[in-house]
Amino acid sequence: MTSTHTPWGRAVHRWRVDLNLDFLCEIPLEIAAAAVPPGLQPVPVRPGVGLMAIGLLSFVPGNLGYLPRFAEMSCSVVVHPDLSADVTPDFAMSVFKVASDSPQFLRWARHKDKMPVHRGRDLRFELDRAQLGGRLGDADGPICEMYNVHPAPRFEPRSLRIQVFTAVDGIRWMLRTGWAGDMFEHQQPGGTVRVFDHPFFAPLGLGERDLPCHTQMMTPPRGKALMSFEEPVRLT
C-alpha cells in the first residue's frame, strides 16, 4: 500500500491485489433495505429485488509496508449514489460487513476506513484461481462459496469510481474509492453464491440458500489491480 493526498488535502491509500472476485447477487429488496443505514436506498434491478455484492480479494505481500499476503471478504448492498457529493460514480455500495484472515488489516479497516468488521475465529479462505472462485469458513462453520460460470473470460483494462458508505457505532461515513486493473464481467445464467446460516449474515436472516448472480466480475487468476481509498468523510 502507498499513500498520497488529494488536491484538497485528504489522504488517499492505495492497496495492491492479485485476485478480485465481485459477484452481484439478487436478494429480496426488503432484506437489502434492512441492511443499509438510514438515508440510503437500495437500487432495485426489478420490482422487489435488490443486489448484494459478495467480494473475495487476495492482497499481495507488502501492503501497509509490512503485511504478508492476506485475503478479505466483503459484503455490500448496491445503493443509489449521492450525486451532490461527487462526479457520478460507476457504483455506490453500502458495506454490510468485511472479514479477513489478517487481524492487522481488520484493525486498519475498522479504525481508518470506518468499516463494520467481522472477527471470526480461525478464518479460512480457499481461493481457486483456476476456476475463479473460492469458499470461506471459520470456527462457526462455512460462510459462503462462489465460482465463475463463464467458460471463456476475456479480460480488458477497466477503471471504476465507487462511492462507499458505512455505518460504525451509529456514525455514518462516505469514502470515495477507485479501482483499476484488468477485469471481465458477464451475466451468464446459472451463477450463484451459496451463503450459509452463519453469524456473518445473521442480521439479514438469509439462512442457507443459493443467491442467483445478476453479474459476475473478476480479475485474471493472477492479475495486478490497484484500489484507492480516500480518507472517510463523516456524514452524521
Side-chain angles (χ1 to χ4, degrees), residues 29 32-44 49-51 77-82 92-94 165 172:
L29 194 61
V36 304
L40 297 177
Q41 294 183 338
V43 174
V49 178
L51 290 178
V77 173
V78 180
V79 296
H80 289 285
D82 179 359
M93 319 290 289
S94 175
F165 298 94
R172 295 175 58 232

Side-chain angles (χ1 to χ4, degrees), residues 43-126:
V43 174
V45 291
R46 61 176 185 274
V49 178
L51 290 178
M52 182 169 70
I54 304 291
L56 294 181
L57 301 93
S58 170
F59 290 77
V60 304
N63 281 294
L64 290 184
Y66 62 87
L67 289 179
R69 177 178 297 280
F70 68 95
E72 176 196 6
M73 173 186 172
S74 65
C75 177
S76 309
V77 173
V78 180
V79 296
H80 289 285
D82 179 359
L83 298 181
S84 69
D86 240 339
V87 293
T88 303
D90 297 285
F91 290 100
M93 319 290 289
S94 175
V95 177
F96 170 70
K97 207 171 289 183
V98 300
S100 175
D101 54 4
S102 169
Q104 300 96 325
F105 170 74
L106 284 183
R107 284 196 292 270
W108 178 280
R110 172 64 178 80
H111 296 292
K112 294 289 189 179
D113 289 338
K114 307 302 182 184
M115 296 289 170
V117 303
H118 174 78
R119 291 184 172 88
R121 296 174 295 135
D122 301 323
L123 207 65
R124 302 179 304 279
F125 285 85
E126 298 177 22

Side-chain angles (χ1 to χ4, degrees), residues 8-202:
W8 46 92
R10 304 197 71 83
V12 179
H13 306 292
R14 293 178 172 83
W15 298 82
R16 293 176 294 126
V17 303
D18 63 2
L19 180 66
N20 191 170
L21 311 173
D22 273 299
F23 292 179
L24 306 183
C25 311
E26 298 183 0
I27 61 173
L29 194 61
E30 64 269 20
I31 292 180
V36 304
L40 297 177
Q41 294 183 338
V43 174
V45 291
R46 61 176 185 274
V49 178
L51 290 178
M52 182 169 70
I54 304 291
L56 294 181
L57 301 93
S58 170
F59 290 77
V60 304
N63 281 294
L64 290 184
Y66 62 87
L67 289 179
R69 177 178 297 280
F70 68 95
E72 176 196 6
M73 173 186 172
S74 65
C75 177
S76 309
V77 173
V78 180
V79 296
H80 289 285
D82 179 359
L83 298 181
S84 69
D86 240 339
V87 293
T88 303
D90 297 285
F91 290 100
M93 319 290 289
S94 175
V95 177
F96 170 70
K97 207 171 289 183
V98 300
S100 175
D101 54 4
S102 169
Q104 300 96 325
F105 170 74
L106 284 183
R107 284 196 292 270
W108 178 280
R110 172 64 178 80
H111 296 292
K112 294 289 189 179
D113 289 338
K114 307 302 182 184
M115 296 289 170
V117 303
H118 174 78
R119 291 184 172 88
R121 296 174 295 135
D122 301 323
L123 207 65
R124 302 179 304 279
F125 285 85
E126 298 177 22
L127 299 178
D128 187 336
R129 295 177 186 270
Q131 298 298 317
L132 292 171
R135 63 180 67 186
L136 172 64
D138 65 9
D140 292 315
I143 299 174
C144 76
E145 183 174 339
M146 51 195 271
Y147 291 92
N148 165 52
V149 295
H150 196 285
R154 298 180 62 182
F155 302 97
E156 297 180 352
R158 289 280 302 276
S159 62
L160 299 170
R161 293 177 299 197
I162 307 163
Q163 277 183 349
V164 173
F165 298 94
T166 71
V168 176
D169 298 333
I171 301 174
R172 295 175 58 232
W173 303 85
M174 189 270 284
L175 301 83
R176 294 174 177 87
T177 72
W179 190 98
D182 289 343
M183 178 190 291
F184 175 72
E185 68 174 271
H186 70 88
Q187 295 180 312
Q188 185 94 356
T192 62
V193 173
R194 184 157 190 82
V195 298
F196 295 87
D197 190 7
H198 186 278
F200 184 96
F201 294 111

